[in-house]
Each structure stands twice: as C-alpha cells, then as structure tokens.
Amino acid sequence: MAPKKIIIDTDPHAKGVDDILGLLLALSATPDEVEVLLISLTFGNIEVKSCLRNAVSMFHILEREMQWRREQGRPGGFGALRAHPPIVAVGAEGPLEDQKMLADYFHGTDGLGGIHASHPHLTPKETWEHLFDPSTEVSAIDPAPTGDGSHRSFIPSKHPAHDEILRVLRENEPGTVTLVAVGPLTNLALASAADPEAFLRVKEVVVMGGAVNQPGNVTPVAEFNTYADAFAAARVYSLTSPSPRTTIPIASTSLANYPPNLSKQLTVRLFPLDITHRHGLKRGQFRKAITPLLESGSPLAEWVAAFMAHTFHTIEKQHQSQVGDDVELSLHDPVCVWYALTAEYEGWKPSLTSPEDIRVETTGQWTRGHCVVDRRDRHRIEGDEEHSSDHGLWLSQRAGNRIWRMDGSPVENNFGDILLEKLFT
C-alpha cells in the first residue's frame, strides 16, 4: 500500500508546543506509512519568523539525533524524513482582517519557552534565513542548512506557502493529499481564494480548531486557531456548503468571493477542543520516559525536555487543580496528525449529528471565533433564500456548512504513550 501523502500547515510552537510534537510525530513514521510533502508555516501565538526558526531548529536537532543514534548503534528512526525530506514554505504573517494576537506571555518570545536563549547549543546559527529569501538565488547543490551535510533534512522554498499548497495539489492526483491544518487557517484561505478548483483537489482538510460544546481556551467561547483568524476559518468552512455564498463572511473584503458553481464540496474533519482535550501527556509520564534518554545523551530528548519543562511549569501556574506529576498537556495537534496517519483505524468516529452546519462568528465583540451551531428543534425547509422565519438560512436544506466534527478516538486513553514511543524508540 502506498504511503499516505500529507501537507502540514502549522505554527510550530503554539498551544503548549504541540505543533512541534505533531511535526515530530509525522516525521517519525516509516516511509511506507507517510510522505510529508510540504510543511507550510503560518503566524500563530508568535511571529511567523519565529515559527520558521523553530522549524529549522527542529530539523537541526533531528539531524543530530539521527547521527547520535547511528553512533550508539540504535535504530535511526524518522524514516519518513530520511526517505522524503519535506519542502518548507513560509506563509501568512497575520490574519486576513483582524488584529493579530500574540501569546509571548505563555510560550516565551520564541514560542518554545525561550529555548534559543537558554539552550543556544541546540539552536542553529542564523545562516539559514537566506534559503527562504525570494531575493536570493538557491544553488541546487547547497549543503544541508544544518548538521554535518551528510543528508538534507528539508527543502527550503522561496515561494509563499499558499502557492506551494496549490502546487502540491496540482502535481498530485485529486483526492490523494490530506491537508492537516493545526494553526490559523490563513494559508488555506489564501490558497482557496487564489484557485478554488485546485484547492478542491485535496482529499480532506483535517482541522484542529474551535470549541463546540466546550469552553474556549482564549475567550469563553473561542479556541485560539479559530479566534486568531476567524475570517479565514469561516471562508474555508464555507467551501463545505452546497452554496458557499450562504456562509462566507459578509464583512470580508480582503479576498474575492468564490465562483458560484464549484465542482465539488470540500471535506473538513474538525477536531475541536471537545475531542483534543481528551488526549493528554502528564508530567510524570513524560519524565519517566525522557530521563533515561537524557542520561544516555539524546539530543532530541534534551531539546524536547527543555521546552516541555517550561510548558508544564506554565500550566501548573495557571491551573490550581494541576500540580506535580499530574500536570497535563493536551495533545491537540498530534491527535490531528495521528488521525491523518491512521484514518482507517477502527474507533475514529464523527459526531452522531455530522455533517453539521458549524459556522464561525467573525465580527462579534465578545464572540469572535465562536463556532455557532443551531440548537433549535425546527423542521428543515426548502429553498436557499432568507425569509422572516429563518434569518441566516439555518434551516435551508441547500444552505449552510457541512462539517464532519470528530468525536470518537481509538487512542484517547493511551495517546501520550504512543507519542513518546514513536518519537523516542
């Protein structure tokens, strides 16, 4: 069976460093399991330049880790990375319409708990920036930007991330590439606006975002990714509708509307906080697994332990009920990556009401980023024109979004152990 092809659109640092853990999980797979075609970067809790630095640092550490494992006579791991180095492209620096909201207070200015300052020996020198600069030329024989040059762990792109997303989708057969989006959806909104039909060649879009029946994590009703660019999320979700015009944000002016007659509807698998919060990694669990690796000199263990220590400490300060070894990090983004790798596993289940008409509030003073659903007990009606008993076309059978909200998981009880095993053994 051919490996799954995926694009990961991410802001590597965010929401408790789980973006980095999600990337590591994908790259740790075997070559027959997955091919990571593209890692497209977007802004998040920190600036996109810091996201790029974190991504390059990750590859730098992985090169050192694989070399260390060879010297130790251990299995090298990270076969997907060694077999198919992914393209890395830099994307959106800010949201389509809204003011950017950063979270340096939680993650540190670099998004990894200040690791570049506290552990400079784990950070590559900043000689890699020219690799992504469109004004400079790239040599086909440039050595790897980090490590000893014995292999190249990623391919830098000088093109915007949304252009690279469209290129990958055009170059692969329709319905063969899964797009895993674990940051704000700005790159996806830009890609779908630039060429909707090329974007619809994607097999499905797996989204970490939103809070439907649970409180938000950045406001009482909103999850960070959806809040950070509510307009982008609303635009992407509207492509799941038989009539995108019925749910596209009316106040959005930065991008044109979609054509009236698209060839198909987008498939979105939404992983909101409702399900991702049920997948965690506790401090004691992490320490038990990482301690022997630290003692044996694993570069990856040292790097991950450094930023995880900051994350666990921050969570403990914010939550009175979590102390000591019971402090728990929710693995929001790795769950989405794991689904993309194992979608055929029994136990992945959408909600009983899927596909659901889930829409994103874009302009509310207190409700920006809120995932709105219709909880009224009303009969559906024909037509797609608004009238007095149905403002917003919530009851129309030909309007509204069609989101597959995921609600069942086969790894809810042991995902932390699976993640640690994949990364370190």
Side-chain angles (χ1 to χ4, degrees), residues 13 35 195 208 212 221 328 342:
H13 64 81
E35 180 179 356
D195 191 339
M208 192 283 120
V212 179
V221 296
E328 187 171 31
T342 65

Side-chain angles (χ1 to χ4, degrees), residues 237-261:
Y237 291 6
S238 73
L239 284 171
T240 69
S241 174
S243 179
R245 70 172 182 83
T246 62
T247 63
I248 201 166
I250 58 175
S252 179
T253 58
S254 59
L255 297 176
N257 288 335
Y258 298 121
N261 298 308

Side-chain angles (χ1 to χ4, degrees), residues 207-212 215 221-226 237 270-274 276 369 371:
V207 175
M208 192 283 120
V212 179
V221 296
E223 174 274 335
F224 176 82
N225 288 338
T226 310
Y237 291 6
L270 182 65
F271 284 75
L273 295 179
D274 309 53
T276 60
C371 287

Side-chain angles (χ1 to χ4, degrees), residues 143-196:
T146 59
D148 61 5
S150 60
H151 64 279
R152 188 175 192 145
S153 59
F154 70 92
I155 302 169
S157 172
K158 295 178 180 291
H159 300 287
H162 72 275
D163 286 342
E164 287 288 5
I165 290 172
L166 291 173
R167 181 192 60 78
V168 169
L169 294 176
R170 292 186 188 112
E171 291 180 359
N172 287 272
E173 290 295 319
T176 61
V177 177
T178 296
L179 205 170
V180 183
V182 293
L185 297 184
T186 316
N187 287 337
L188 279 67
L190 292 170
S192 62
D195 191 339

Side-chain angles (χ1 to χ4, degrees), residues 120-312:
H121 62 290
L122 298 179
T123 300
K125 296 180 180 179
E126 295 191 25
T127 58
W128 45 265
E129 290 184 341
H130 75 283
L131 298 171
F132 300 88
D133 185 351
S135 66
T136 63
E137 294 294 328
V138 173
S139 168
I141 57 173
D142 270 353
T146 59
D148 61 5
S150 60
H151 64 279
R152 188 175 192 145
S153 59
F154 70 92
I155 302 169
S157 172
K158 295 178 180 291
H159 300 287
H162 72 275
D163 286 342
E164 287 288 5
I165 290 172
L166 291 173
R167 181 192 60 78
V168 169
L169 294 176
R170 292 186 188 112
E171 291 180 359
N172 287 272
E173 290 295 319
T176 61
V177 177
T178 296
L179 205 170
V180 183
V182 293
L185 297 184
T186 316
N187 287 337
L188 279 67
L190 292 170
S192 62
D195 191 339
E197 290 296 343
F199 187 76
L200 290 173
R201 292 169 65 94
V202 72
K203 179 180 179 180
E204 61 182 11
V205 177
V206 180
V207 175
M208 192 283 120
V212 179
N213 297 312
Q214 296 291 322
N217 62 1
V218 68
T219 75
V221 296
E223 174 274 335
F224 176 82
N225 288 338
T226 310
Y227 181 90
D229 197 339
F231 280 95
R235 286 187 62 96
V236 172
Y237 291 6
S238 73
L239 284 171
T240 69
S241 174
S243 179
R245 70 172 182 83
T246 62
T247 63
I248 201 166
I250 58 175
S252 179
T253 58
S254 59
L255 297 176
N257 288 335
Y258 298 121
N261 298 308
L262 294 172
S263 63
K264 59 178 292 190
Q265 294 166 234
L266 181 68
T267 298
V268 169
R269 301 275 177 185
L270 182 65
F271 284 75
L273 295 179
D274 309 53
I275 183 172
T276 60
H277 265 321
R278 306 201 302 257
H279 299 74
L281 177 63
K282 292 188 176 182
R283 178 191 268 159
Q285 180 184 13
F286 177 76
R287 188 179 66 248
K288 181 179 178 180
I290 209 75
T291 298
L293 294 164
L294 291 172
E295 293 173 349
S296 61
S298 162
L300 180 61
E302 182 183 3
W303 190 62
V304 173
F307 63 70
M308 289 291 282
H310 175 271
T311 300
F312 284 128

Side-chain angles (χ1 to χ4, degrees), residues 345-349 408-410:
Y345 284 17
E346 185 178 354
W348 292 114
K349 297 178 181 179
S409 160

